């Protein structure tokens, strides 16, 4: 009988959707090993932290959590604390010295071995570390216990080759590897057959997807993959994240507009509006090129929602360079933006640049950009008042269980009255009120198909 049998396990996930997806895979592996997954960390015998290294703040939160858990460890050493994911890969065994309460450290390539590492630690009482990248794991990506029964994440590639100068991801996730198109299609067909309505294709840079050998021997590119997935019956919606502007192909706007299941939304991180900063970031496009791509997308896909990521206070960012970002945001008018303060990361090229922007100024610039975007998002959302939107009902709203929550095709959050039995249905709603983050809706009188938010 396995050492983990009947033990209660809990996973706390930090970071991006790729980590969320890995956590589903980990849950599947643990259940295969006889564990019971619980939703309450307090009850766990095994506490797993699937971590993110993208900013110092993400790591600080994990360190705080491990210290708190360590204080709670009982005489039997419970809970066992396992740290996996990007922070494990970035720091390896050194984490054991900094965080003595840790029992297991498992790198991003070693996920299939995590249950065995936990068993070994339980059996011997020893600390177990494996952050090797000898045999990057691809194997059990399809399985796992999915969190939602309505929408599913499907990983189409791992890793990243771009080496943006600020970013740790290529160092902790390894080189870019695309999954085979046939495997992806097979997985999505399985999901559609089990009643999933929406899938999101996941990768750090989905537009550089090149999947191995199709029948005619060609590598399958992203637009072709979209076409294959769009042909799967039973599915209602297809999304994809993240798109890198340098790899958006000329065929992508047309593909989004032609393929009825592909939602009218693109997450297209710009990072900065200044060409000199973009060069220092190693992004390989200019602000003008970015604006051109958005113009083409808006032309070919009327009403497409464009969201982005922006970094404030990159090393050497001058007042003028910062103003270029403000101007670009005012010009593009994003539907939404995640805005971050620059955080120096180990291994990266930017860590060797002089960080000339003092913390106070970084915070000020961050605040300014967030305020600017909040105003734009609010205005755009409020422009939808009185309009109909198509929403996929996902389930009860966490803030008010008498309401349902879902997303429009443009990825806006909508809250509306309904029964939990409606989860998984596509509903036609009328927008009654809105703020920068949420549309408040009611059921539309007449059912009619709406293709986008605007
Ligand atoms: N692959 C995606 C993004 C992955 S990380 C892409 O290329 O767009 C998500 C976001 O975190 C990035 O878009 C960037 O805005 C932000 N980010 C990454 N490294 C950062 C750092 N060192 N400091 C602050 N923000 C960072
Ligand atoms: Fe990081 Fe750039 Fe890769 Fe995105 S594309 S994960 S920002 S290195
Ligand atoms: Fe974070 Fe790793 Fe994702 S560093 S953003 S969890 S790839």
């Amino acid at each position: 009988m396995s050492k983990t049998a009947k033990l209660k396990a809990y996973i706390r996930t930090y970071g991006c959707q790729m980590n969320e997806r890995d956590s589903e895979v980990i849950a599947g592996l643990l259940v295969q090993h006889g564990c019971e997954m619980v939703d309450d960390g307090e009850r766990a015998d095994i506490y797993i932290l699937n971590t993110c290294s993208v900013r110092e703040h993400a790591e600080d939160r994990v360190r705080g959590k491990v210290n708190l858990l360590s204080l709670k460890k009982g005489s039997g050493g419970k809970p066992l604390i396992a740290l996996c994911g990007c922070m494990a890969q970035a720091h390896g065994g050194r984490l054991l010295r900094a965080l003595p309460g840790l029992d297991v450290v498992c790198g991003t390539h070693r996920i299939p071995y995590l249950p065995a590492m936990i068993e070994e630690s339980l059996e011997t009482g020893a600390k177990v570390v494996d952050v090797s990248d000898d045999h990057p794991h691809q194997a059990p990506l399809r399985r796992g216990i999915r969190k939602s029964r309505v929408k599913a994440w499907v990983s189409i590639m791992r890793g990243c080759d771009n080496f943006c100068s600020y970013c740790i991801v290529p160092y902790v996730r390894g080189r870019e590897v695309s999954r085979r198109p046939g495997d992806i299609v097979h997985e999505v067909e399985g999901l559609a057959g089990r009643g999933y309505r929406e899938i999101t294709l996941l990768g750090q840079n989905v537009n550089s997807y090149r999947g191995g050998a199709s029948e005619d021997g060609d590598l399958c590119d992203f637009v072709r993959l979209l076409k294959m997935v769009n042909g799967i019956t039973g599915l209602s919606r297809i999304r994809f994240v993240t798109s890198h502007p340098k790899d958006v192909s000329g065929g992508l706007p047309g593909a989004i507009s032609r393929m009825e299941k592909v939602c009218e939304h693109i997450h297209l991180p710009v990072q900065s509006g200044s060409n000199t900063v973009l060069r220092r970031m190693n992004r390989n496009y200019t602000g003008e090129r970015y604006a051109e791509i958005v113009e083409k997308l808006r032309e070919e896909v009327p009403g497409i929602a464009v969201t982005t990521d922006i970094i404030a206070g990159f090393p050497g960012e001058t007042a003028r360079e910062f103003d270029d970002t403000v101007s670009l945001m005012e010009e593009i008018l994003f539907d939404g933006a995640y805005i971050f303060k620059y955080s120096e990361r180990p291994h990266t090229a930017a860590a060797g640049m002089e960080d000339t922007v003092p913390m106070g100024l970084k915070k000020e610039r961050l605040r300014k950009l967030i305020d600017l975007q909040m105003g734009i998002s609010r205005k755009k959302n409020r422009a939808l008042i009185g309009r109909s939107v198509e929403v996929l009902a996902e389930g009860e709203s966490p803030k008010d269980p008498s309401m349902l929550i879902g997303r429009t095709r443009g990825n806006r959050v909508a809250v509306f009255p309904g029964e939990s039995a409606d989860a998984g249905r596509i509903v036609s709603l009328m927008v009654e009120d809105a703020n920068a983050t949420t549309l408040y809706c009611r059921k539309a009188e007449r059912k009619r198909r709406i293709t986008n938010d605007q």
Side-chain angles (χ1 to χ4, degrees):
M1 174 114 168
S2 119
K3 263 271 170 192
T4 46
K6 302 243 158 36
L7 291 182
K8 294 184 172 61
Y10 175 80
I11 308 176
R12 171 86 190 262
T13 309
Y14 300 80
C16 64
Q17 287 106 327
M18 273 146 267
N19 255 17
E20 295 281 351
R21 177 68 196 123
D22 281 348
S23 290
E24 294 181 343
V25 171
I26 294 167
L29 292 169
L30 290 170
V31 168
Q32 271 173 20
H33 277 74
C35 287
E36 179 197 341
M37 299 309 298
V38 291
D39 325 324
D40 173 10
E42 296 284 320
R43 292 172 50 216
D45 304 308
I46 302 167
Y47 196 111
I48 295 165
L49 300 103
N50 192 11
T51 62
C52 173
S53 271
V54 82
R55 284 169 289 276
E56 184 64 39
H57 177 66
E59 293 201 349
D60 287 344
R61 284 170 58 212
V62 171
R63 291 195 182 94
K65 186 72 200 173
V66 172
N67 286 331
L68 213 74
L69 286 168
S70 307
L71 289 175
K72 284 192 189 155
K73 264 196 185 206
S75 50
K78 277 187 187 170
L80 174 139
I81 310 173
L83 188 152
C84 62
C86 298
M87 227 175 128
Q89 201 64 39
H91 305 290
R94 284 192 305 264
L95 286 169
L96 293 177
R97 258 170 280 142
L99 301 167
L102 278 182
D103 300 290
V104 172
V105 177
C106 172
T108 51
H109 306 294
R110 308 307 276 175
I111 283 175
Y113 307 105
L114 179 60
M117 291 167 71
I118 291 173
E119 277 179 357
E120 187 184 332
S121 180
L122 286 170
E123 203 156 308
T124 61
K127 314 236 175 217
V128 181
V129 181
D130 185 352
V131 293
S132 133
D133 57 3
D134 284 351
H135 301 287
H137 99 81
Q138 296 290 326
L141 289 174
R142 272 180 51 198
R143 298 184 199 97
I145 296 176
R146 303 209 182 241
K147 263 196 170 157
S148 161
R149 295 168 76 170
V150 175
K151 54 177 195 173
W153 288 304
V154 175
S155 167
I156 65 166
M157 60 215 291
R158 297 184 70 83
C160 182
D161 287 347
N162 288 311
F163 293 93
C164 302
S165 64
Y166 49 81
C167 184
I168 198 171
V169 170
Y171 303 93
V172 290
R173 291 270 167 170
R175 293 293 63 72
E176 189 178 291
V177 187
S178 295
R179 279 178 78 196
R180 285 207 300 263
D183 290 351
I184 296 167
V185 168
H186 187 69
E187 176 175 346
V188 178
E189 282 170 346
L191 290 164
R194 295 205 301 280
Y196 284 88
R197 306 300 304 275
E198 176 181 300
I199 57 131
T200 304
L201 304 174
L202 287 182
Q204 293 295 355
N205 180 6
V206 290
N207 292 285
S208 72
Y209 174 83
R210 293 286 178 280
S214 55
E215 289 108 55
D216 51 17
D218 277 356
L219 285 183
C220 170
D221 69 7
F222 182 61
V223 167
R224 200 152 143 202
L225 178 72
L226 270 183
K227 195 168 169 204
M228 290 162 79
V229 176
N230 191 59
I232 295 172
T233 45
L235 212 61
S236 305
R237 288 175 162 192
I238 300 166
R239 298 187 185 281
F240 54 91
V241 276
T242 296
S243 294
H244 192 308
K246 81 176 166 62
D247 290 310
V248 168
S249 67
L252 186 72
I256 302 175
S257 116
R258 251 189 345 270
M259 298 180 198
E260 71 288 354
K261 290 174 190 155
V262 177
C263 289
E264 295 76 19
H265 168 228
I266 188 164
H267 186 62
L268 193 63
V270 66
Q271 313 297 359
S272 168
S274 149
N275 290 345
T276 38
V277 171
L278 286 169
R279 205 171 316 130
R280 298 206 294 280
M281 287 179 163
N282 191 29
R283 289 291 287 181
N284 284 302
Y285 55 84
T286 60
E288 293 76 22
R289 170 76 190 124
Y290 185 91
E292 230 173 75
I293 298 170
V294 172
E295 195 183 319
K296 183 147 188 277
L297 281 160
R298 286 180 169 159
E299 231 169 70
E300 293 199 34
V301 193
I304 188 171
V306 181
T307 56
T308 203
D309 294 346
I310 293 174
I311 297 175
F314 185 77
E317 186 185 68
T318 62
R320 181 172 291 175
E321 287 171 332
F322 173 73
D323 288 344
D324 285 344
T325 298
V326 172
S327 306
L328 180 111
M329 289 171 72
E330 287 169 345
E331 178 193 337
I332 303 268
L333 298 174
F334 292 106
D335 295 271
Y338 296 103
I339 304 167
F340 311 102
K341 208 164 64 245
Y342 170 73
S343 164
E344 183 180 307
R345 309 312 293 131
H347 313 297
T348 61
M353 300 177 189
E354 200 190 340
D355 191 355
T356 50
V357 189
M359 185 50 87
L361 190 54
K362 276 198 191 101
K363 285 189 179 158
E364 193 185 307
R365 289 180 179 174
L366 175 76
R367 190 71 260 159
K368 220 169 154 180
L369 297 185
I370 290 175
D371 288 347
L372 171 61
Q373 184 55 43
M374 288 291 270
I376 297 168
S377 298
R378 183 172 182 276
K379 205 163 163 193
K380 288 201 148 198
N381 284 350
R382 290 190 66 81
L384 294 173
I385 294 175
R387 310 271 298 265
S388 306
V389 285
E390 179 206 289
V391 170
L392 171 61
E394 289 171 18
E396 283 174 6
S397 156
K399 284 191 195 144
D400 178 357
S402 72
M403 304 288 270
L404 289 183
I405 193 161
R407 281 180 188 261
T408 65
R409 288 180 69 89
N411 213 31
R412 293 181 162 85
V413 173
V415 172
F416 53 101
E419 314 276 301
S420 55
D422 284 342
R425 293 217 178 108
I426 303 264
V427 287
S428 186
L429 302 177
M430 175 69 75
V431 183
E432 286 195 305
D433 197 6
N435 58 28
T437 55
T438 312
L439 308 178
Y440 298 93
C441 307
R442 66 173 160 77
K443 290 251 168 78
E445 324 274 272
R446 231 160 12 96
K447 225 188 157 70
R448 64 186 169 98
R449 189 167 154 66
I450 297 105
T451 46
N452 54 44
D453 300 359
Q454 288 157 342

